[in-house]
Amino acid sequence: MLVVQKYGGTSVGSLPRIRAVAERCLARQRQGCRLIVVVSAMAGETDRLITLANDLLCVGAKSTSRMNGRWVEPMKVGDRCHERELSQLVSTGEKMSAALLSMAIQDLGGAAMSFVGHQLGLQTDRRFTDAHIMAIEEGRFTAALEANKIVVCAGFQGVDPEGNITTLGRGGTDTSAVAVAAALHADACEILTDVDGVYTSDPRVVPNARKLDRISYEAMLELAGVGAKVLHIRSVAFAMKYRVPLHVRSSLNRNEGTWIVPEEKNMESVLVTGVALDRNEAKVTLADCPDQPGTIAAIFAKLAEADVLVDMIIQNASRQGTTDVTFTVPKTLLDRSVELLANLPFVSGGALQIHADPNICKISIVGVGMRTHAGVASRAFSVLAEENVNVEMVSTSEIKVSVVVQERYGELATRALHDAFGLAES
């Protein structure tokens, strides 16, 4: 049986924890498994390295923010771009974790060998700080496994066609682990973290949230996309495409976690699987836009050029040749978005007003059972109305309903929806 395990930054955040991970790896191997382990940098190490780069380049403290897999600002000084060197720098955190874990396994009497991305032939495209995996060579893995060694891999990194080190962006170690599991046809990919599994909602917000035994790829993909932090959306999409069984479980105990698997027939009987709260949302309204072809295209092309991901979009009905356009962006990119839009020709003339609201949040209910059951949205709106929570925006998909509300009502609304759909019940 071939198993790929991934350990996050908190799981390898100190030398005692690295040693505990080594003991866990050896115990898994003694169960008869061939084992590949993918590790993140020690908790806080990547941020420390980015701070070093910012201090060196005399970039302000605000430029250390990260969003949607992109490093924001620190690689730029004037017209110079340092993305290649930034990838070289931040990839060292995972290299350190891999080497230390391999040493710990050996010290405990096991056999292990650590590898970094280019040694494993983990090939990516040329986007240095947000690279996508193109192929993985199996040779080094196979040779080490046949020698009965635990293969320890530095996650989050690869190599482009020119041999440059690249990094995979936010959630990159999850993606590395799933990609390796897919390439080697592993029997399972275990994502070991500081939580026990996937819950019906964030237990810090909803105290009676329940751990799920199983969840479908599609439902997990929606939850990851609307704010659930357990798994990054790219890793779930990879697992879904290649049908990699994922097991999310705690690295701090041996309890069974949550299996993420293809959709099963009995999953449709569950109306709602989970409720997610995303506080990293801000709302932008452009009032009195010219209601003519090309206006909307110009707005969102400007944001796309700056790698600003837009989530929900609403355009009001036309009135006297104008219309209002409202959309949401990551809160950390709100000021940048407004600055970009202010330079559009039909905005800078003064006829159009930009209203920015950072005090909102998004709440989403997700469940594959929504495909075959009507009235979920209606019930959700009624629950919010009973709590006197005003809905400002709505977005739906086949298995999801998302609403934007004022941030001060976020936790109240999340708990109310969680209780209304009986998610605390087994």
Side-chain angles (χ1 to χ4, degrees), residues 199-334:
Y199 281 74
T200 51
S201 195
D202 186 341
R204 294 168 297 184
V205 176
V206 184
N208 62 348
R210 177 175 52 86
K211 186 182 74 175
L212 298 167
D213 295 327
R214 301 171 81 81
I215 185 173
S216 71
Y217 291 123
E218 195 170 0
M220 190 67 237
L221 195 65
E222 289 281 15
L223 283 172
V226 296
K229 305 298 183 185
V230 178
L231 282 172
H232 192 260
I233 189 169
R234 279 172 60 184
S235 67
V236 181
F238 219 111
M240 182 176 176
K241 180 177 180 179
Y242 295 101
R243 288 296 190 261
V244 177
L246 290 182
H247 189 193
V248 180
R249 62 193 309 186
S250 174
S251 64
L252 306 178
N253 58 54
R254 304 301 172 97
N255 298 336
E256 188 81 358
T258 301
W259 282 95
I260 303 167
V261 295
E263 185 176 327
E264 300 167 354
K265 188 173 182 180
N266 64 346
M267 290 179 177
E268 291 189 0
S269 64
V270 180
L271 191 61
V272 173
T273 302
V275 181
L277 169 63
D278 188 355
R279 294 185 174 92
N280 186 36
E281 293 274 335
K283 185 176 69 171
V284 179
T285 299
L286 281 70
D288 300 323
C289 293
D291 188 22
Q292 58 191 33
T295 298
I296 301 300
I299 291 170
F300 295 107
K302 194 73 173 178
L303 296 172
E305 288 170 5
D307 287 330
V308 176
L309 291 184
V310 177
D311 186 11
M312 303 168 70
I313 304 172
I314 294 176
Q315 180 178 348
N316 293 341
S318 175
R319 59 182 187 282
Q320 298 180 340
T322 65
T323 186
D324 295 345
V325 178
T326 301
F327 54 90
T328 60
V329 297
K331 190 172 294 186
T332 51
L333 298 181
L334 176 61

Side-chain angles (χ1 to χ4, degrees), residues 38 49 65 69 122 127 184 190 204 232 241 367 381 411:
V38 183
L49 293 169
S65 62
L122 200 155
R127 288 180 285 188
L184 298 177
E190 298 182 348
R204 294 168 297 184
H232 192 260
K241 180 177 180 179
F381 299 150
E411 294 193 5

